[in-house]
Amino acid sequence: MVIRKLEGRERFDAYLISTYCFHSRIEDVEKERERVQAETLQDWGAFDEDGTLTARIINNQFELYLDGTAVQAGGIGAVSTLPEYRDKGSIRKIFQTLLTEAYRGGEILSALYPFSHAFYRKQGYEVVTYQNDYELEPGMLKGYRCEESVTRWNPGEPVTEYLKIYQSFASRFNLAMQRDEKSMLEHMKVDKLYQERKFSYLLKREGQNVAYITFTDVYNEEAAILQVDECAWINRKGFEAILSFLARFESDYGKIRLPLPGGIDLLRVIQTPRAYEIKKICRQDFMVRVINAQKVLELIRKPQDCDFVIQISDELIPENNGKWHVTGAGVTKADDGCEPDLAVSEQAFAQMAVGGANLDEAMLREDVEIRAKEEMLRNVFTEKRIFVGEHF
């Protein structure tokens, strides 16, 4: 089996594999061929002994925030194998090559949306509960009605003010992606406004832009549903402005569906006598992996006086294997004979490092062992706010 990056017409062959496996349809084959073959995404393929392309994985390139620092990251997508070539380890072998090159290329983290948690755990990824979805009636928010100025965005208008709010918001959350105006527009644009019924609003209080909200009007036979696609705010007034804006729709919608980032729990802060009626669903269809353990240990926030040794086991990235001495001054490789204070698998380390689990939760995992300095470690591995707004 040969593993390598794809170029030219091989990209379209790989695209057809994913189209087949994901039950997709192609309207215009030649138009799609031209588009796909011109792409520059990192596309990996597995070839059998006869030179037949049997499987592929795309590794998207972008930057994610980790404790306030933007780091190079990869987003795994289009993982697919033709059915006649499955159970031969093709995807595993692509990952082995892809992850090694990702490390050498400077990636710090990798992320994906899984079809199976168990399958991607074998590649070193672990679940992160990145979002909570809330369902409530608009009338529950009437206590938040306040004076705010609301401006609707129209296709063709600039997105500069939306991007400013996003940048202020996203930098406070782990795993949030850095955006530019082009990528911001991708989250807001519509081709047929009154068919897609997707709307974006800029919210202002006391003369300052404090929040934005993008939502879709979802048809429902009983009563329409307001599905919030994304919202962001710069301060408490911005968050209240969002709730106030949603309260305006009491006569228009039967339900509001509101997603909020991990670590921001609406049920802890909302002021309504009917909070017990709000439905909450935790989203766990997102997984992360550490590509460079030393860099992650250097970047995560920790007390200046911290001093501990962590042992990490990583089956696919040998450079991550071993023991690391972590202090407020830096991270160095520890001696083999040094006794670790904490021993973790690569999966557990990823979850703990990005703040997807606090130490008490991590201690319930069978692949986490604390041998010393528990209180110090408790101040290093804490639950953190997580915001994931991109799909790949």
Side-chain angles (χ1 to χ4, degrees), residues 74-214:
I76 300 297
V79 180
S80 44
T81 307
L82 289 171
E84 59 268 38
Y85 296 101
R86 291 176 184 171
D87 301 322
K88 299 181 183 297
S90 302
I91 295 299
R92 174 75 169 181
K93 290 181 179 178
I94 294 178
F95 265 115
Q96 287 175 327
T97 304
L98 182 159
L99 293 175
T100 297
E101 176 146 327
Y103 178 91
R104 294 171 180 166
E107 285 186 24
I108 307 299
L109 296 171
S110 180
L112 55 81
Y113 289 91
F115 72 90
S116 163
H117 290 154
F119 179 84
Y120 287 108
R121 281 192 180 107
K122 294 177 182 178
Q123 324 308 328
Y125 291 81
E126 189 50 276
V127 175
V128 170
T129 303
Y130 68 100
Q131 178 177 298
N132 292 317
D133 292 341
Y134 300 89
E135 185 176 277
L136 64 155
E137 296 177 9
M140 294 181 185
L141 301 175
K142 61 184 179 182
Y144 285 91
R145 288 303 302 271
C146 60
E147 292 295 327
E148 80 267 346
S149 172
V150 179
T151 305
R152 195 176 87 183
W153 177 81
N154 294 303
E157 294 179 346
V159 297
T160 307
E161 297 304 314
Y162 288 83
L163 181 60
K164 288 179 182 177
I165 294 172
Y166 173 82
Q167 289 171 331
S168 172
F169 182 77
S171 61
R172 294 177 274 156
F173 292 83
N174 277 355
L175 304 183
M177 187 185 294
Q178 279 204 320
R179 292 181 188 169
D180 54 19
E181 292 204 359
K182 180 180 178 182
S183 55
M184 189 73 226
L185 180 61
E186 286 296 317
H187 286 265
M188 300 169 60
K189 76 173 187 178
V190 287
D191 295 321
K192 299 177 180 179
L193 183 63
Y194 287 100
Q195 288 180 322
E196 298 176 47
R197 296 194 61 80
K198 179 177 180 179
F199 306 100
S200 298
Y201 285 85
L202 191 66
L203 311 181
K204 181 179 293 188
R205 286 191 67 185
E206 300 173 2
Q208 180 186 19
N209 293 326
V210 292
Y212 71 77
I213 184 169
T214 296

Side-chain angles (χ1 to χ4, degrees), residues 281-292:
I281 298 175
C282 296
R283 295 285 299 275
Q284 55 176 344
D285 52 325
F286 194 76
M287 302 181 79
V288 296
R289 191 197 205 288
V290 169
I291 300 297
N292 189 317

Side-chain angles (χ1 to χ4, degrees), residues 216-279:
T216 301
D217 179 297
V218 178
Y219 173 78
N220 183 54
E221 186 173 350
E222 182 178 344
I225 297 170
L226 189 157
Q227 171 65 59
V228 177
D229 300 311
E230 183 173 285
C231 59
W233 57 91
I234 64 171
N235 53 26
R236 177 176 56 81
K237 290 181 179 180
F239 182 69
E240 290 176 346
I242 291 170
L243 298 183
S244 173
F245 175 71
L246 292 174
R248 297 183 179 204
F249 294 101
E250 184 173 3
S251 61
D252 301 272
Y253 295 95
K255 298 287 184 183
I256 291 171
R257 291 176 180 161
L258 174 63
L260 291 179
I264 304 292
D265 193 334
L266 182 66
L267 301 181
R268 296 174 185 169
V269 299
I270 193 167
Q271 300 293 309
T272 174
R274 298 171 57 195
Y276 60 89
E277 296 181 31
I278 298 174
K279 296 179 181 178

Side-chain angles (χ1 to χ4, degrees), residues 65-70 171-174 301:
Y65 284 104
L66 177 63
D67 285 2
T69 299
S171 61
R172 294 177 274 156
F173 292 83
N174 277 355
R301 292 195 184 102

